[in-house]
Amino acid sequence: MTLRTATDLLEDAHYPATTAELREAYGSVRIEHPAGEESLGDVLERTGEEEFADATEAVHAVIGAVGQDAVGRVGYSDRDPTPMGVDGHEPVSF
């Protein structure tokens, strides 16, 4: 399932909840991303031993802890201007 769908599951948990409780309830859920997949349990483990007051805290922790492979091209932005002194690409109109 997608990261968004996986984090939606955290909305159904009872809070406050610890990392261990969320791992027990949702740890086997597989998060698919462009470079493969990982379990929600593995992602939660990277958040450390925490107690989350609500779903928002848990979701933010998970989004911050997903593996680098889940974010696509690291450092990529099609919005950043070309830095001064660097020959950049020609703008293309779609």
Side-chain angles (χ1 to χ4, degrees), residues 23-40:
R23 286 186 73 211
E24 184 177 326
Y26 305 106
S28 63
V29 171
R30 304 299 298 173
I31 300 172
E32 299 171 0
H33 49 74
E37 63 179 36
E38 61 186 324
S39 74
L40 184 53

Side-chain angles (χ1 to χ4, degrees), residues 8-59:
D8 284 346
L9 292 174
L10 297 175
E11 300 285 338
D12 297 332
H14 297 287
Y15 292 93
T18 65
T19 302
E21 291 168 339
L22 294 177
R23 286 186 73 211
E24 184 177 326
Y26 305 106
S28 63
V29 171
R30 304 299 298 173
I31 300 172
E32 299 171 0
H33 49 74
E37 63 179 36
E38 61 186 324
S39 74
L40 184 53
D42 289 344
V43 175
L44 284 164
E45 186 175 339
R46 289 193 291 271
T47 67
E49 291 301 317
E50 301 251 354
E51 180 171 287
F52 304 104
D54 56 31
T56 301
E57 282 187 5
V59 168

Side-chain angles (χ1 to χ4, degrees), residues 75-83 89:
Y76 173 77
S77 172
D78 63 352
R79 305 280 185 229
D80 292 340
T82 303
H89 64 281

Side-chain angles (χ1 to χ4, degrees), residues 57-71:
E57 282 187 5
V59 168
H60 287 187
V62 166
I63 290 172
V66 292
Q68 189 172 352
D69 293 338
V71 297

